[in-house]
Amino acid sequence: MRRVIAGLVALAVLASCGGPEPAAAPGLRREGAMISSAVLFDPARFAGRWVVAASGVAGCAGAEQRWDWDGQGGFALSGVDCGAGVKPQYLTGRAVLTGPGGRLTPDESFARAPVWVLWVDQDYRMAVLGTPGGGFGMILTREVPPRADLYRAAQDVLDFNGYPVAAIGR
């Protein structure tokens, strides 16, 4: 009996090795595209009020977000979550720095996906956020309307990181 059970287990293991993997949920990023986070990220300078200039979520343009730095490795989040799905949601919880260059892990918002600060201009007036899985990408600004040159630079960063700019419109 033990031989039969061992044989069935071996067959089950072999069967699980063959065949295609189930397709992953579609994201906004091009498959296989490289992604990088902002190397010179200063969380204290990033902290404060941001306005969503563009995201892949309809109705998010103009939504406000607050990223309040606690000085100990995390941000308290509030405002509108434009990365959680197909419609805006309430932004809540914390996002903790978990890696270099503005790599954050939220505990409640952004569908709990890792959030990377892909780029921020030198004066912290505009930022680009995304997730390696491609679930969302967005452009944040402190100035409304955003400066045209910074907005174009943010779009270039999205494109460089594999996000089709047309999918993350205003």
Side-chain angles (χ1 to χ4, degrees), residues 7-67:
L8 289 173
V9 168
L11 282 174
V13 168
L14 286 173
S16 69
C17 293
E21 278 189 49
L28 289 175
R29 291 185 62 240
R30 289 185 300 276
E31 189 175 328
M34 300 293 287
I35 188 167
S36 63
S37 59
V39 175
L40 300 175
F41 178 73
D42 181 346
R45 291 186 69 200
F46 184 80
R49 177 185 169 268
W50 289 94
V51 175
V52 178
S55 82
V57 177
C60 270
E64 290 189 22
Q65 295 182 351
R66 284 211 52 89
W67 293 72

Side-chain angles (χ1 to χ4, degrees), residues 88-110:
Q89 309 217 357
Y90 185 69
L91 185 62
T92 186
R94 290 177 37 85
V96 178
L97 278 170
T98 53
R103 297 180 186 187
L104 303 151
T105 300
D107 63 357
E108 295 179 35
S109 295
F110 300 111

Side-chain angles (χ1 to χ4, degrees), residues 6-165:
L8 289 173
V9 168
L11 282 174
V13 168
L14 286 173
S16 69
C17 293
E21 278 189 49
L28 289 175
R29 291 185 62 240
R30 289 185 300 276
E31 189 175 328
M34 300 293 287
I35 188 167
S36 63
S37 59
V39 175
L40 300 175
F41 178 73
D42 181 346
R45 291 186 69 200
F46 184 80
R49 177 185 169 268
W50 289 94
V51 175
V52 178
S55 82
V57 177
C60 270
E64 290 189 22
Q65 295 182 351
R66 284 211 52 89
W67 293 72
D68 293 318
W69 177 241
D70 66 10
Q72 299 182 4
F75 292 92
L77 305 173
S78 61
V80 179
D81 183 349
C82 294
V86 296
K87 65 180 185 173
Q89 309 217 357
Y90 185 69
L91 185 62
T92 186
R94 290 177 37 85
V96 178
L97 278 170
T98 53
R103 297 180 186 187
L104 303 151
T105 300
D107 63 357
E108 295 179 35
S109 295
F110 300 111
R112 293 188 174 99
V115 176
W116 286 16
V117 178
L118 304 178
W119 174 80
V120 64
D121 78 288
Q122 69 180 7
D123 293 321
Y124 284 73
R125 295 166 293 187
M126 187 160 292
V128 177
L129 305 183
T131 188
F136 76 87
M138 71 180 74
I139 300 172
L140 300 178
T141 184
R142 297 204 199 260
E143 303 170 349
V144 178
R147 273 186 36 187
D149 61 329
L150 293 177
Y151 189 80
R152 279 190 302 280
Q155 288 178 314
D156 289 345
V157 169
L158 284 169
D159 182 56
F160 177 82
N161 284 282
Y163 289 91
V165 175

